Amino acid sequence: MAVTLARARRAGCVLLKALLRFGFMVANNLVAIPSYILYLAVLQPLRVLDSQCFWYIEGILFKWLLAMVASWGWWAGYTVVEWGDDVKAVSEDEAVVLVNHQATGDVCTLMMCLQDKGTVVRQMMWLMDHIFKYTNFGIVSLIHGDFFIRQGRAHRDQQLMLLKEHLEKYYRSRNRKWIVLFPEGGFLKNRRETSQTFAKKNNLPFLKHVTLPRLGATQVILKTLVAQQENGIRAGGDAVIKESKSKGLQWVIDATIAYPKDEPIDIQTWILGYRQPTVTHVHYRIFPIKDVPAEPEALTRWLYQRFIEKEDLLTHFYETGAFPPLQGQTKAISREMTLSNLWLVGIQSLAFLSGGMWYCIFHYFYHSLF
């Protein structure tokens, strides 16, 4: 009886904590997202006069919003340990980031672990499924210039053409640095069976922890951004076409996310915090763009090889609890990613103060007019 009562109490505490966290998240969204939109609405004249300055400020606000999402997981004890190459060394360069996709929490994990990578978060572009356009964060991503891609063979050619146009118009005119995509084209649990069937028919390796990636978006990104680099111009967008000062696309970063016991975190867990504190592991490998083939068949083989390596990395992790050492190392070195609680409290306070300020402004004008 005592055991049952103790379990009931623990369940009650978990439920209460989840409800309080959910209430805080809702309040957080109700003040932070409208404030982001209103700040940028007021700054529209600056967008005309100095678009680079406008997008610099927008990037700072965008990073603050992503930090708020990161704080929900951080305060629940969902932390990150990083392995492999140190991506801070290339945080100021242009890079394409290829990530395996297991659950909705993958995006939250990246929002957290990229917070301490210099200017990356405020200058990054996300490629995500079009369904995210209709979430609470959709309007923010639309303003920031992220690209929502519709999956399915019927839409593929049109979507790739739209992606190319989007990159030409927004990527360098808004001074973007990193572009993040999930080449598998969906969650592991949804695509694994189809991928394994395809692999069997085409004499490719049997993959359990990842799926074979799709080429389309990766090819368009590499081709478009390298072409812009070679042409040395900015194609449209918010800036006047002029000679580019960018060094161009320099790196492909292969990021592999691993969850203990192969149990991914979803967005509901991230928000409600009902799972025990968990350490998510992220492994990075950096490839110079000159080592990435441009021809479609060669690029397909190269991309497949990256995900075969991801499979090996994840197999090793689930067997040993750690990633293997990099080539030339005798021991794998991990780095604990940290966030400042003081900084997180500061940006949360700024969000609520901004919400209060906008409320007072609208309240004043409402009563002045009516």
Side-chain angles (χ1 to χ4, degrees), residues 223-236:
K223 185 176 180 180
T224 304
L225 296 185
V226 171
Q228 284 189 12
Q229 172 186 345
E230 291 171 349
N231 293 336
I233 61 172
R234 292 176 178 167

Side-chain angles (χ1 to χ4, degrees), residues 171-359:
Y171 185 79
R172 292 213 170 92
S173 69
R174 297 185 181 183
N175 195 28
R176 296 294 174 245
K177 295 290 186 182
W178 285 19
I179 181 166
V180 180
L181 71 153
F182 301 91
E184 291 165 294
F187 298 138
L188 172 64
K189 63 181 180 180
N190 296 334
R191 292 210 61 244
R192 180 158 42 199
E193 185 176 347
T194 302
S195 175
Q196 290 173 348
T197 301
F198 177 84
K200 185 176 181 179
K201 289 181 179 179
N202 293 273
N203 196 29
L204 293 167
F206 181 88
L207 305 178
K208 179 182 177 182
H209 302 300
V210 295
T211 67
L212 290 170
R214 294 172 176 174
L215 177 66
T218 306
Q219 184 181 22
V220 168
I221 290 169
L222 293 174
K223 185 176 180 180
T224 304
L225 296 185
V226 171
Q228 284 189 12
Q229 172 186 345
E230 291 171 349
N231 293 336
I233 61 172
R234 292 176 178 167
D238 299 283
V240 177
I241 296 177
K242 58 183 178 181
E243 185 179 353
S244 175
K245 297 179 181 179
S246 169
K247 294 180 181 178
L249 191 64
Q250 294 177 268
W251 312 101
V252 173
I253 300 172
D254 184 28
T256 303
I257 299 176
Y259 297 96
K261 300 180 181 180
D262 199 7
E263 296 177 354
I265 296 177
D266 55 29
I267 187 66
Q268 297 94 326
T269 305
W270 192 270
I271 292 171
L272 300 177
Y274 49 77
R275 183 186 291 189
Q276 291 297 313
T278 301
V279 179
T280 301
H281 298 256
V282 183
H283 183 279
Y284 303 103
R285 287 192 67 196
I286 302 174
F287 297 89
I289 197 66
K290 64 181 178 61
D291 294 342
V292 181
E295 193 273 326
E297 287 189 11
L299 178 58
T300 300
R301 290 192 297 271
W302 186 89
L303 197 58
Y304 280 180
Q305 187 58 37
R306 301 289 73 76
F307 277 76
I308 293 169
E309 290 172 2
K310 284 180 183 291
E311 176 76 13
D312 294 338
L313 286 170
L314 290 169
T315 299
H316 189 280
F317 177 85
Y318 294 132
E319 290 176 353
T320 66
F323 283 111
L326 292 172
Q327 187 175 4
Q329 293 182 349
T330 57
K331 182 180 178 181
I333 300 173
S334 63
R335 304 173 296 276
E336 185 176 350
M337 185 265 163
T338 60
L339 289 175
S340 166
N341 285 313
L342 181 62
W343 178 62
L344 293 178
V345 169
I347 61 172
Q348 292 286 5
S349 300
L350 177 64
F352 285 100
L353 288 172
S354 296
M357 179 193 72
W358 290 115
Y359 173 80

